[in-house]
Amino acid sequence: MSEELISKYDIRGTEETGLTVECAWNVGKALADWLPTTGSVAVMYLPAHESLARAIVEGLRLQGRNVVDGGNGDKEAAVAYIKTSGLSGAAVVGFDELEKMVTIELYRDDGKLIDSDSGLKEIHELVQAGNFVPAAAKGELTHLA
């Protein structure tokens, strides 16, 4: 994952700039390994970017995290769900209309955004290193009712 994809607040880009399915898959694995608490992680997304969301889900699951597929949702829905369901975190795949870029926002168990000052740089480093050891058992996938 190139340095250009990391902004102060999220991961953003296009397929042409490197925000590919493989990149999203590695972001999922890195998020799973980075989150300080154990437990499930929610993934919410815009339908147009479902393939990136599915890649994040698979990355999380390969690292042993249970995932709640939140379907069509935004950051407000993800934060509310984290807080009411006691999740370890969330990933939200969205779109910045102004810049015409796909965005991936990551959240901690307290619903706070993981930005460049609170872990996004470390997650980027994990993706760059690529030293992921899959969990003994793949995490479960459930769907938000």
Side-chain angles (χ1 to χ4, degrees):
M1 176 168 62
S2 75
E3 191 73 35
E4 296 112 34
L5 294 178
I6 303 298
S7 78
K8 176 140 178 74
Y9 302 104
D10 56 22
I11 299 163
R12 58 180 46 234
T14 63
E15 189 167 342
E16 291 78 25
T17 63
L19 189 52
T20 62
V21 168
E22 181 180 358
C23 177
W25 182 58
N26 285 318
V27 167
K29 292 191 284 186
L31 178 62
D33 288 356
W34 181 87
L35 284 170
T37 58
T38 59
S40 298
V41 178
V43 177
M44 296 182 167
Y45 51 91
L46 295 175
H49 305 293
E50 186 174 354
S51 62
L52 292 176
R54 296 271 169 251
I56 293 170
V57 166
E58 283 308 301
L60 287 161
R61 293 182 64 210
L62 285 172
Q63 296 308 107
R65 291 285 181 155
N66 291 334
V67 178
V68 178
D69 181 338
N72 189 14
D74 58 16
K75 60 185 171 187
E76 288 81 16
V79 169
Y81 193 61
I82 289 168
K83 291 181 177 181
T84 60
S85 300
L87 300 178
S88 290
V92 179
V93 182
F95 190 76
D96 182 326
E97 287 289 339
L98 186 63
E99 294 188 25
K100 303 293 185 212
M101 291 190 184
V102 177
T103 61
I104 300 173
E105 295 178 331
L106 306 174
Y107 294 88
R108 299 179 347 174
D109 62 341
D110 58 3
K112 295 207 186 296
L113 180 69
I114 301 168
D115 63 19
S116 62
D117 295 328
S118 64
L120 194 55
K121 289 178 184 175
E122 290 84 0
I123 290 169
H124 176 254
E125 289 169 4
L126 288 170
V127 170
Q128 290 297 96
N131 297 326
F132 301 109
V133 177
K138 191 173 181 180
E140 298 293 320
L141 176 62
T142 57
H143 295 274
L144 188 61

